[in-house]
Amino acid sequence: VETAGTFVIGTVKGDLHDIGKNLVGMMFEGAGFKVIDLGIDLDPAAFVEAIKEHNANLFGMSALLTTTMPKMGETINAIKEAGLRDQVKIMIGGAPVTGEFAKEIGADAYASNAASAVDKGKELLGL
């Protein structure tokens, strides 16, 4: 069965919350995506390596703490430095995250809940 895409997801360094991330991952899986859930408390290098290894075309990261939100920007910068930014669409989410913050850090999209995350992901990939 052909997948809709490969979606790498995880929670940024310093953040141990995963309920929202888990819901998003399940929703993407149900929508036909191959989901690579890296877990929680991940540094930018772990995300970069997973995007490379799995040839992901969609990447999502979450933060529930305002103190860990800057790690999202650091991760996007690491993806750029690795030369992967053109191959992957980046989505972010989490309670303190906003669409404005997504634009500030260079993410492609923000979703406020799991159902809208799938819609945004499909839209980003032209599905």
Side-chain angles (χ1 to χ4, degrees):
V1 176
E2 193 172 324
T3 65
T6 300
F7 181 50
V8 168
I9 188 171
T11 303
V12 296
K13 188 76 177 166
D15 207 315
L16 306 177
H17 299 91
D18 68 351
I19 293 172
K21 173 193 65 67
N22 293 344
L23 288 171
V24 170
M26 284 188 282
M27 293 290 288
F28 270 93
E29 204 167 54
F33 284 80
K34 177 181 177 185
V35 176
I36 311 299
D37 186 343
L38 301 177
I40 59 171
D41 194 24
L42 299 156
D43 61 20
F47 289 125
V48 168
E49 202 51 45
I51 291 167
K52 278 185 200 173
E53 179 184 339
H54 299 285
N55 197 29
N57 57 350
L58 192 59
F59 167 60
M61 59 184 150
S62 68
L64 190 68
L65 305 172
T66 56
T67 55
T68 60
M69 285 171 56
K71 291 292 180 191
M72 292 179 154
E74 290 175 27
T75 301
I76 291 173
N77 288 336
I79 291 168
K80 287 178 185 173
E81 289 171 14
L84 299 171
R85 187 60 183 98
D86 291 339
Q87 93 170 36
V88 66
K89 297 294 184 184
I90 300 173
M91 300 177 59
I92 64 170
V97 179
T98 64
E100 186 175 304
F101 179 71
K103 287 178 190 165
E104 276 178 37
I105 64 170
D108 294 303
Y110 153 77
S112 61
N113 61 64
S116 68
V118 172
D119 292 339
K120 293 267 187 188
K122 285 181 169 182
E123 183 183 314
L124 287 173
L125 298 177
L127 303 175

